[in-house]
Amino acid sequence: MKYLFCIALLVASYSNYAQMSINDRIENQLKLDTYDSEGIRLTSTFQNIEPVENILDYKSYINYIFYNFKDESSKFKGVIDINQKETVFELHRERLKNDTLFVNTLQRISDNSIKKIQDKPSYDLDVVMDIATKFVKITGINEQGNYTLKVCVGVNDLEKTQSKRYADIEAFCFVSVFNAYLNKENPLKDEIIKEFHKIVPLSMGIEKEERILRAQGALMVLMYQNESFKQALLKEYEDKKDILPFTINLPKE
């Protein structure tokens, strides 16, 4: 069984990072570099911005959008000529600036992040919980016949289960679940494993894909009902609600 789981030199006019344009984020917050893997390849990731005044100032949040809400045409693939590195960097930035899916998604999130709480879009807690369950995924069955489990940004069932994608909620849920999972003082990791072990003895089908699909569905239900899972989301929400791009409609006690 496997459990896998700058902008310091800106001019004075940038005293309010909350108003930073998306183009400026691509120019200043996106770090580009190269690495050698059967040829020189491009690596790119957004960095944190201090002080935090917008949810996009958190690298974990903006990188989720970067990895999941881009057009194929702006994804750089293949090897590059090391002598043309700076040219490739500039081309990559320009592609991102012209990627309407990426730019519009970031712009909407950025605008909502700086609104007053009462003016932000709102979602019911059950919608947020439903999306969050997709980040705890049974990925397959190993040679011993056991399920394999991941808590992961890149492997989830959102495309297969959500008729409408909510980039703002998805990024929040991923950050919330992953942070709680890695926090040794948070019970979430143990809770995920506990719920996972409830599924292990159940006969979910004969065919491999049937077993995986049914086991994943069962795990989603268990995580949706898990109190520690809900509390991990609510803690992240309370900590960052002033700069989140949405509010959560909490059930009345």
Side-chain angles (χ1 to χ4, degrees):
M1 217 178 324
K2 297 187 295 183
Y3 303 112
L4 305 176
F5 290 95
C6 337
I7 320 302
L9 299 178
L10 293 178
V11 295
S13 61
Y14 280 131
S15 60
N16 186 355
Y17 280 120
Q19 302 303 320
M20 183 182 287
S21 72
I22 303 307
N23 279 358
D24 285 338
R25 287 188 182 279
I26 293 171
E27 284 291 335
N28 299 302
Q29 196 178 355
L30 179 65
K31 180 181 179 181
L32 300 175
D33 207 342
T34 59
Y35 67 99
D36 191 351
S37 177
E38 299 181 350
I40 304 302
R41 299 178 185 274
L42 177 70
T43 178
S44 49
T45 185
F46 281 82
Q47 305 299 300
N48 282 330
I49 287 180
E50 298 290 346
V52 174
E53 297 184 1
N54 190 299
I55 195 64
L56 297 181
D57 295 341
Y58 284 109
K59 63 181 181 181
S60 52
Y61 197 101
I62 191 171
N63 275 320
Y64 182 88
I65 310 301
F66 178 60
Y67 293 127
N68 291 276
F69 289 87
K70 293 198 304 286
D71 289 327
E72 283 296 322
S73 60
S74 67
K75 296 178 182 178
F76 196 92
K77 301 175 182 178
V79 298
I80 66 175
D81 182 348
I82 191 62
N83 297 316
Q84 300 294 320
K85 181 175 72 172
E86 294 304 324
T87 301
V88 172
F89 285 1
E90 184 59 29
L91 175 62
H92 186 54
R93 288 193 181 96
E94 290 305 311
R95 283 180 177 176
L96 286 177
K97 291 176 186 177
N98 291 307
D99 185 330
T100 55
L101 172 61
F102 181 63
V103 170
N104 291 343
T105 301
L106 287 186
Q107 190 64 63
R108 183 171 61 254
I109 289 172
S110 181
D111 290 345
N112 287 334
S113 177
I114 61 175
K115 287 180 180 178
K116 295 179 180 178
I117 287 183
Q118 63 268 26
D119 296 329
K120 298 181 181 188
S122 61
Y123 303 101
D124 290 340
L125 179 59
D126 60 354
V127 173
V128 178
M129 289 282 292
D130 176 40
I131 290 173
T133 64
K134 308 307 188 296
F135 291 102
V136 183
K137 180 174 173 59
I138 291 174
T139 57
I141 298 174
N142 61 23
E143 293 180 356
Q144 291 73 42
N146 298 318
Y147 296 115
T148 56
L149 178 71
K150 276 190 178 183
V151 177
C152 187
V153 59
V155 182
N156 57 65
D157 282 328
L158 288 163
E159 287 188 358
K160 296 178 181 179
T161 59
Q162 307 300 133
S163 58
K164 181 178 179 181
R165 299 290 295 273
Y166 296 91
D168 51 354
I169 306 180
E170 287 184 25
F172 164 77
C173 289
F174 168 70
V175 172
S176 303
V177 172
F178 206 67
N179 285 348
Y181 183 84
L182 294 178
N183 183 351
K184 293 181 179 180
E185 296 181 0
N186 192 292
L188 184 60
K189 182 176 181 178
D190 290 339
E191 287 294 310
I192 289 174
I193 295 173
K194 181 189 77 175
E195 301 293 16
F196 173 71
H197 279 296
K198 290 179 181 178
I199 296 168
V200 171
L202 301 179
S203 299
M204 294 288 186
I206 304 300
E207 299 296 329
K208 179 178 178 180
E209 292 307 315
E210 272 188 354
R211 287 183 62 195
I212 295 171
L213 186 62
R214 290 171 182 165
Q216 180 60 33
L219 184 60
M220 286 179 187
V221 173
L222 290 172
M223 295 314 306
Y224 182 87
Q225 296 172 340
N226 186 280
E227 186 64 22
S228 293
F229 192 69
K230 181 173 75 172
Q231 291 304 318
L233 297 171
L234 292 179
K235 182 181 185 307
E236 189 78 13
Y237 175 69
E238 287 299 324
D239 288 347
K240 296 186 174 67
K241 64 182 178 182
D242 288 341
I243 59 169
L244 280 171
F246 60 88
T247 60
I248 297 178
N249 297 322
L250 301 176
K252 296 180 180 179
E253 296 183 1

